[in-house]
Amino acid sequence: MTTSVSPDHAWLRESIGLATRNVAEGGGPFGAVVVRDGLVIATGTNQVTPTLDPTAHAEVVAIRAACQAVGDFRLNGCVLVSSCEPCPLCLSAALWARVDRVVYAADRHDAARAGFDDREFYELFGKPREQWSLPVHQVSTGEDDAPFEAWLARADRVDY
């Protein structure tokens, strides 16, 4: 854990403030900001329960807003700053968005103490799928790659 004073501290404090205000408004205790060139371009708070969307984590909400703000699905040159260590869903979103780095304040153990335990997800991905509690199986149709062939045939596709 890095404890030295850095430019990230202001953004971390902002994400913590967002999270704390979200709790006061009945939401979850998570907040995130996306920063580019030293400026916050988007914010997000946990909206899972108000929107009935299990993917509406603060980081995902902030990433979605940032992409709209910059007009691109790529967030190169951006930093995702979160009040808490991003879960596997949020880390995946950050990777897909291609942020330059992720900075967080509280960690997964702090979240677990508050009832937000992501450890099972971290552990799940380390196990063979046959051991998962959620069955995930491939079933071949004989046409499995048709969407990818259609994609590759498009000369105007936007690769990502």
Side-chain angles (χ1 to χ4, degrees):
M1 173 164 73
T2 303
T3 56
S4 63
V5 175
S6 74
D8 297 328
H9 279 115
W11 311 125
L12 286 165
R13 284 191 293 276
E14 184 166 347
S15 70
I16 292 167
L18 285 167
T20 303
R21 286 189 299 279
N22 199 48
V23 169
E25 296 167 3
F30 302 95
V33 298
V34 177
V35 178
R36 179 182 272 171
D37 298 326
L39 300 174
V40 173
I41 61 169
T43 66
T45 57
N46 182 284
Q47 296 296 306
V48 170
T49 56
T51 62
L52 305 177
D53 179 354
T55 68
H57 293 198
E59 297 89 341
V60 173
V61 171
I63 287 169
R64 288 174 180 160
C67 288
Q68 292 299 307
V70 301
D72 197 343
F73 60 87
R74 294 168 291 233
L75 295 175
N76 303 93
C78 292
V79 178
L80 175 63
V81 181
S82 180
S83 64
C84 186
E85 180 178 6
C87 73
L89 167 74
C90 296
L91 285 174
S92 296
L95 288 165
W96 277 110
R98 292 165 182 79
V99 299
D100 286 5
R101 62 190 178 98
V102 176
V103 180
Y104 61 89
D107 68 17
R108 66 181 83 171
H109 308 291
D110 299 318
R113 281 192 294 280
F116 297 90
D117 195 350
D118 297 335
R119 285 179 290 200
E120 69 180 270
F121 300 123
Y122 286 101
E123 293 168 4
L124 176 71
F125 293 123
K127 295 179 183 178
R129 281 194 181 166
E130 302 79 45
Q131 295 177 14
W132 289 16
S133 59
L134 172 67
V136 177
H137 302 285
Q138 180 182 20
V139 178
S140 182
T141 65
E143 301 174 31
D144 303 342
D145 63 344
F148 298 115
E149 293 301 322
W151 172 256
L152 291 170
R154 286 194 66 111
D156 64 342
R157 72 178 179 267
V158 177
D159 290 328
Y160 61 97

